[in-house]
Amino acid sequence: MVATDGRPAPKGESPAFDLSTYLKERCIQVEAALDLSLPLTYPEKIYEAMRYSLLAGGKRLRPILCLATCELVGGTVEMAMPTACALEMIHTMSLIHDDLPAMDNDDYRRGKLTNHKVYGEDIAILAGDGLLAYAFEYIATQTQDVTAGRVLQVIARLGRAVSASGLVGGQVVDLESEGKPDIQEETLTYIHTHKTGALLEACVVCGGILGGATDSEVERLSRYAQNIGLAFQIVDDILDITATQEELGKTAGKDLLAQKATYPSLWGLEASKAKANELVEAAKAELEPFKEKAQPLNAIADFITTRTH
Ligand code: GRG
């Protein structure tokens, strides 16, 4: 457990948890694993495009959630690392496709030019496809010390999370809602629970399955993830209004410009912040049975509402 200083905690008290150190340490591990996961080989052009976006930085929140949950239920980082990398591959492919002219048409992502701006639309589409397919291959071939049954469950959960009943479905309803600032709250919630929430939930649930969580623990973890998933998206909407392009690493203020329905446009900024806080508290309440082993996931939930990018 990472404490804020090197001193032992007073008797009977658990040491304070230093999320910033935890995230930095985990980020280093994830970056190294991602780099190794995708060697540059023939045909170099496509591997270069895939590596360009996969290794472009980002918070690495999804792999870190997967690793933290696996450890929470008694598993190891090694058991979950191939799935953690696969989750980042899938997240990255969704960003590449989301940035295409046919979708959000963005020039910047993670502070760098978007994939299609560097490699062209044809290669960007294929780089996304390549990452998506490779993610599943990577889990199936690289996971060690986990039963085949659990690996199969992970692959099935992940497939569902990215399909038309998850990410793809959320993106379709988002596209349909473009230019309709008056859409209902239920539609907005559908978009976000599918477009963003489904993959975040898969990160937590898959980490739990790999680490040997019981069915009721998986359900508890799933509810934690659904709450932080929605809070994450509310904060994303808030940051689109309040943060700068430098902070975000992508174009700021796009939602307002596109007259897009967002939580702040439905509820106002203050009520949106209050709702995000409420969801984070509900998420943390799900982790109470895990006691202090849940410190990383509790701190990550808090980070979601305090983040600036
Ligand atoms: C999955 C088959 C398949 C296709 C993709 C384009 C698309 C379908 C879906 C869009 C998904 C999307 C872009 C959702 C937004 C998710 C989101 C909030 C991204 C920002 O995540 P952060 O803040 O970014 O974690 P970093 O850069 O830190 O990783």
Side-chain angles (χ1 to χ4, degrees):
M1 208 60 74
V2 188
T4 43
D5 56 24
R7 287 174 298 167
K11 227 175 163 197
E13 275 179 38
S14 52
F17 180 76
D18 180 1
L19 180 68
S20 153
T21 306
Y22 178 85
L23 291 179
K24 266 188 216 135
E25 286 173 1
R26 281 284 182 268
C27 235
I28 291 169
Q29 283 179 301
V30 169
E31 292 296 339
L34 285 173
D35 193 11
L36 285 176
S37 73
L38 191 64
L40 188 62
T41 174
Y42 181 81
E44 281 84 1
K45 187 168 190 180
I46 189 67
Y47 283 100
E48 200 189 304
M50 288 157 78
R51 284 178 60 86
Y52 173 81
S53 292
L54 186 64
L55 304 176
K59 295 181 285 299
R60 308 310 195 191
L61 186 60
R62 290 156 190 81
I64 292 173
L65 275 171
C66 177
L67 299 175
T69 313
C70 184
E71 283 192 298
L72 169 72
V73 296
T76 63
V77 165
E78 290 72 27
M79 287 159 92
M81 192 56 95
T83 300
C85 289
L87 287 158
E88 191 64 26
M89 290 174 199
I90 292 172
H91 171 54
T92 301
M93 79 72 54
S94 78
L95 300 180
I96 296 174
H97 283 194
D98 191 54
D99 291 333
L100 286 168
M103 303 232 192
D104 253 15
N105 193 18
D106 248 308
D107 292 352
Y108 289 95
R109 173 69 72 175
R110 293 173 163 171
K112 295 173 75 173
L113 281 174
T114 43
N115 199 287
H116 66 273
K117 281 277 157 192
V118 178
Y119 298 97
E121 278 181 55
D122 46 3
I123 294 296
I125 292 168
L126 292 167
D129 294 343
L131 282 167
L132 180 61
Y134 187 53
F136 288 95
E137 177 191 342
Y138 201 67
I139 296 174
T141 60
Q142 302 300 313
T143 306
Q144 281 172 10
D145 299 326
V146 178
T147 62
R150 283 190 199 160
V151 176
L152 207 55
Q153 278 187 58
V154 163
I155 289 173
R157 289 270 190 162
L158 203 46
R160 188 172 167 78
V162 301
S163 71
S165 54
L167 240 81
V168 168
Q171 180 75 349
V172 168
V173 179
D174 194 17
L175 291 173
E176 280 175 355
S177 307
E178 249 173 42
K180 296 181 191 159
D182 56 345
I183 63 163
Q184 302 289 306
E185 186 178 324
E186 299 85 73
T187 309
L188 190 60
T189 300
Y190 179 93
I191 293 170
H192 295 318
T193 51
H194 289 75
K195 195 178 142 172
T196 307
L199 191 60
L200 287 170
E201 188 194 356
C203 297
V204 170
V205 163
C206 292
I209 291 170
L210 290 164
T214 62
D215 288 350
S216 70
E217 283 173 338
V218 168
E219 278 169 31
R220 191 169 275 287
L221 291 167
S222 160
R223 290 193 296 271
Y224 159 86
Q226 285 171 21
N227 283 318
I228 63 164
L230 196 52
F232 186 87
Q233 189 57 56
I234 295 174
V235 171
D236 225 54
D237 285 356
I238 294 171
L239 289 175
D240 187 72
I241 299 170
T242 59
T244 62
Q245 171 156 345
E246 286 67 40
E247 282 172 318
L248 292 181
K250 61 177 184 179
T251 321
K254 275 202 83 176
D255 297 342
L256 271 180
L257 212 63
Q259 288 193 306
K260 218 172 159 176
T262 63
Y263 287 108
S265 75
L266 282 181
W267 303 332
L269 265 181
E270 286 316 308
S272 300
K273 283 180 195 167
K275 180 71 182 170
N277 287 330
E278 208 178 282
L279 288 164
V280 164
E281 290 312 312
K284 292 197 297 187
E286 294 292 347
L287 302 181
E288 273 163 19
F290 296 106
K291 304 210 167 67
E292 80 181 50
K293 277 193 293 180
Q295 275 182 326
L297 287 189
N298 274 324
I300 290 171
D302 283 327
F303 165 73
I304 283 176
T305 42
T306 53
R307 71 195 175 100
T308 55
H309 63 285

